[in-house]
Amino acid sequence: MHELGVTENIVNIALAKAGEAQASKVIKINLVIGEMSGFVPDCIQFYFDSLSKDTIAQGAVLHFESVPAQLRCRNCATIFQPQDTLWSCPKCRGQSIEISKGRELYIESMEVE
Amino acid sequence: MKKIEVIQNILDANETIASRNQQLLDKHKVFAINIMSAPGAGKTSLILQTLARLKGRLNVAVIEGDVASTVDAEKVQSEAKAVVQINTRNMPESCSLMAAMIESALKDMPLDNIDLVLIENVGNLICPAEFNLGEHKRVVISSLPEGDDKPIKYPLIFVDADAVIINKMDFLPHVDFDIATFRRSIAGLNPKAEVFQASCKTSEGIERWCSWVLEQVETNATKR
């Protein structure tokens, strides 16, 4: 639902970085997206194809690395992955939980020529 | 072919504007609260109640975010010091307010005459969680008819909230909403969040909520 603005940012960052590197073409953009971030890769790709048209990023491949959600129990510090929607620690059954991984949303690297 | 390391957060552009917004607000001694919820949970009703209670104590302005219409702005018009309606229908994001929209709304506000801005976000439990607006506090309203499972279905928005309001308490006899279950989920996800039980219909809990708002505004003012 909110991928258009995010994709605009991706195109802007990619073009700026490619410019700094004096590249003539962006081949691939490696993105890291946390499972809990709520952004849909297919949707980003769809907008990217249209927003990058007539730029040096046109035709670039978007590669998405998905980071699985990782939770941490505040009571016993156990790190675990959510098994269902009810978050509870597999070790102490505690329900005081924080998200340690899975909210990422960044461009990791790019391939240019 | 050459590989370039980038490591840049895609939401940086929004974060930059958000921190600019907060600097502007701080400069004019304005406190901002971002109010988020699903559609129909009672954001506008809570704002109306808050405006009525804080009248004479604080000058309050409202920023209304909706996909379309000025219905909400009209409702709060007479009670607020200033109202700006943002329609997100033709913007890159229609599902949430973003920092740039707030930046332009603040330009239309007499900031020196305002102590508090209540920002009513677009009704949605997913997208607003991702976009910082430059607010000082984030509030989420969950209403009884929505069910007590919302924190476990939409954890992100609750994880970052400073306060959670359980609204429509007057529905309690009619719905299977277990207050203890809801509170337990919030305490687990976000032990620091203040939880209020309220009804904008009967005014239950509104006084306590307004005291909290006043306290936040005052604490922030002494810090500056």
Side-chain angles (χ1 to χ4, degrees):
Chain A
M1 250 196 317
H2 47 206
E3 279 78 0
L4 177 56
V6 162
T7 312
E8 278 177 350
N9 292 344
I10 293 172
V11 173
N12 290 340
I13 295 169
L15 292 178
K17 293 288 174 185
E20 283 169 26
Q22 296 180 332
S24 59
K25 190 155 179 53
V26 179
I27 310 289
K28 190 175 174 192
I29 302 174
N30 295 307
L31 299 146
V32 177
I33 299 196
E35 192 187 19
M36 305 198 69
S37 77
F39 293 96
V40 182
D42 282 353
C43 211
I44 293 177
Q45 181 76 61
F46 174 80
Y47 286 126
F48 183 86
D49 293 342
S50 124
L51 290 169
S52 63
K53 213 162 178 253
D54 301 324
T55 73
I56 60 165
Q58 181 172 347
V61 175
L62 299 186
H63 177 263
F64 297 92
E65 184 195 332
S66 170
V67 181
Q70 195 180 79
L71 306 178
R72 182 180 170 278
C73 174
R74 289 196 184 94
N75 300 327
C76 70
T78 300
I79 302 276
F80 62 100
Q81 292 197 338
Q83 297 304 315
D84 51 33
T85 51
L86 188 67
W87 292 356
S88 59
C89 173
K91 201 170 161 197
C92 74
R93 299 278 144 212
Q95 289 190 356
S96 186
I97 304 297
E98 64 189 18
I99 301 169
S100 56
K101 275 187 190 162
R103 299 192 68 172
E104 297 79 0
L105 181 68
Y106 64 93
I107 301 184
E108 194 253 326
S109 64
M110 287 165 41
E111 285 165 29
V112 298
E113 59 178 31
Chain B
M1 182 135 59
K2 181 164 81 163
K3 192 168 180 181
I4 327 175
E5 290 296 316
V6 181
I7 317 282
Q8 185 170 345
N9 189 321
I10 294 162
L11 296 179
D12 270 358
N14 185 70
E15 291 296 319
T16 306
I17 304 171
S19 64
R20 211 153 66 206
N21 287 348
Q22 193 165 91
Q23 280 166 20
L24 179 73
L25 292 163
D26 286 343
K27 191 177 140 204
H28 293 273
K29 300 185 168 52
V30 180
F31 193 79
I33 301 179
N34 179 4
I35 303 174
M36 299 171 285
S37 80
K43 293 181 294 302
T44 313
S45 302
L46 181 78
I47 288 172
L48 284 168
Q49 287 271 3
T50 310
L51 288 170
R53 302 264 169 157
L54 296 181
K55 210 170 187 174
R57 295 200 265 181
L58 288 179
N59 290 318
V60 188
V62 179
I63 297 175
E64 286 289 347
D66 283 292
V67 173
S69 89
T70 55
V71 175
D72 285 351
E74 282 158 27
K75 280 187 202 159
V76 302
Q77 191 86 51
S78 61
E79 298 296 321
K81 191 84 184 167
V83 184
V84 176
Q85 173 81 53
I86 299 173
N87 282 147
T88 57
R89 186 177 42 197
N90 299 315
M91 301 201 181
E93 309 301 338
S94 59
C95 51
S96 168
L97 289 177
M98 296 180 73
M101 303 175 192
I102 299 303
E103 185 174 49
S104 81
L106 292 176
K107 286 190 183 122
D108 294 331
M109 291 208 154
L111 293 179
D112 286 328
N113 302 325
I114 294 169
D115 306 304
L116 170 67
V117 181
L118 299 175
I119 303 169
E120 178 174 346
N121 217 315
V122 178
N124 184 331
L125 287 176
I126 309 164
C127 314
E130 309 277 358
F131 301 101
N132 190 349
L133 305 178
E135 71 276 22
H136 297 90
K137 295 285 170 192
R138 295 163 82 84
V139 175
V140 178
I141 308 175
S142 222
S143 67
L144 261 52
E146 295 168 54
D148 53 30
D149 55 3
K150 289 300 157 292
I152 56 172
K153 283 186 172 173
Y154 304 92
L156 283 194
I157 202 155
F158 292 95
V159 163
D160 293 333
D162 296 291
V164 175
I165 300 176
I166 309 172
N167 191 27
K168 307 192 189 179
M169 281 300 291
D170 50 304
F171 271 74
L172 198 53
H174 312 290
V175 290
D176 296 325
F177 187 107
D178 187 50
I179 302 283
T181 301
F182 184 91
R183 281 181 163 270
R184 207 163 39 239
S185 304
I186 297 295
L189 288 172
N190 181 354
K192 287 190 202 115
E194 196 79 31
V195 180
F196 299 91
Q197 292 177 207
S199 163
C200 292
K201 194 90 181 164
T202 65
S203 296
E204 172 190 345
I206 300 295
E207 194 61 55
R208 208 190 130 224
W209 150 254
C210 287
S211 305
W212 182 83
V213 172
L214 273 169
E215 198 184 300
Q216 302 309 308
V217 176
E218 281 159 16
T219 311
N220 191 263
T222 36
K223 262 194 281 173
R224 282 193 294 248

